[in-house]
Amino acid sequence: MADVNAPYRIKGETGEWEVVVGLEVHAQVVSNAKLFSGAATAFGAEPNTQVSLVDAAMPGMLPVPNRECIRQAVRTGLAIDAKINKWSRFDRKNYFYADLPQGYQISQLYHPLVGEGSVTVLLDEKDEASARTIGVERIHVEQDAGKLMHDQHPTMSYVDLNRSGVALMEIVSKPDLRSPAEAGAYLRKLRAILRYVGSCDGNMEEGSMRADVNVSVRRPGEQFGTRTETKNVNSVRFVQQVIEHEARRQIELLESGGTVVQETRLYDPDKGETRSLRSKEDAHDYRYFPDPDLLPLEIDDAFIEDCRASLPELPDAKRKRYETAGITAYNASVLTAEVETARWFDALLEAGAEPARAANWTVAELFGALNRRGETITTTGISPQEAAELLKLVDEGTLSGTLAKQVFEIMLETGDAPGKIVEERGLKQTSDTGAIDAEIDKILAANGDKVEQYKAGKVQLFGFFVGQTMKAMAGKANPGVVNERLKAKLG
Ligand code: ADP
Ligand code: MG
């Protein structure tokens, strides 16, 4: 396997290159209403059914900031240890587009709500040395635009304003990322944090989280090169493909004597390539100015402390807690990667399960079964309480490992509780030496030749006798007792 800690380099015709990446992540804020209007924000509604007069930019309408959207952005900032700016301001970013009836987007260019913070990622979950801390420059709050639909009719475009005015957080990273793998780890971690906090659902397929990917290349150790920005990339895999593709394109260009132009590009996932959309616009092209309809946003310490108090245990803290409880680094990282998994597993621990074994069982048995059955932790009928009951039956010696697997399969099929299954189907493990001895005697008698061989030194036959005994007892014999009795009888 490649060494994740080795610097990522791309070989060109004339030597090695380093790639430099900064991501601007747009995350749709979870809130019932839009940033400046009371219209609903649910995804997938009939077009233009969630549009207030403010979102449609009717003349004379005034925006009113939605406290919940501000609260969510502050909570997100606190979750990445960022500085919260008690004084921030909304600016108008002016441009014309058919999905933007106002003719400007209300955003925060000069005074964002959230300042510098950071996100720590692991390139390899089992290796603390693979940790990277990625700087976040700022998080500002802004309006989303509507959506144009070009594919319904050959000669017409339609506009859906449902998304118009929905609150977005724009989370701007520093140019600290140095490889597709780092960018992927950063996005996954950021998504996990947003979902733990509950400020964004992180659903990249539905577009509630999307990234603008800034890429440049340089010779290792030299100054940053000119970057391009590929807009609206909506999956982690695509972001990684954009970085690879853009880096190679820029390297080829530079090596053949060309220069990289700072421009905005689009990604075509079908072709796996980016293409130029427009030359890069600068802030002055947008004629930014403070929105005269809105007062500066002022928040106080009490509001910030309220936000802080509302935060749940975050992935890094949870992971540490799991590891301290004896869970392996790998299991801890798998169990904390998705908030739903972590919640389910926390409930299993609360139901009294022993952490290390519960983690092994969840990652191996439960996730294995869910994969096989095309289910997820949120759709499964297996409750943490029933899982705890199953693990307890093993601990008490009522079930052997083999029987526990059988009971678990029946739980998956029937939805019944493990105790009930054990009772009804008589699946209890037996340590009854009388019954076990009787079966062993039969097996030894029927396999005289193997007994001879065993006694003559072919000790690996022991496993054969164990297997035969377990089979004869329909898997219900206590394996410890079987081993002990066989040893006694075989001498
Ligand atoms: P702008 O306001 O013009 O979009 P910013 O300074 O806000 O520029 O940067 C936007 C994004 O581009 C940030 O995520 C930043 O990390 C990234 N970025 C800046 N310079 C570079 C570079 N040379 N290579 C790659 N990414 C860069
Ligand atoms: Mg930008």
Side-chain angles (χ1 to χ4, degrees), residues 53-80:
L53 297 174
V54 174
D55 312 319
M58 289 297 149
M61 292 298 114
L62 288 173
V64 179
N66 175 350
R67 186 185 174 90
E68 179 60 14
C69 298
I70 304 305
R71 198 178 85 91
Q72 291 287 38
V74 170
R75 294 175 73 240
T76 305
L78 293 170
I80 59 163

Side-chain angles (χ1 to χ4, degrees), residues 88-91 107-113 138-141:
S88 66
R89 198 185 65 193
F90 289 104
D91 304 301
S107 181
Q108 298 188 305
L109 177 68
Y110 302 104
H111 298 282
L113 178 58
R138 56 193 277 155
I139 302 179
H140 60 257
V141 181

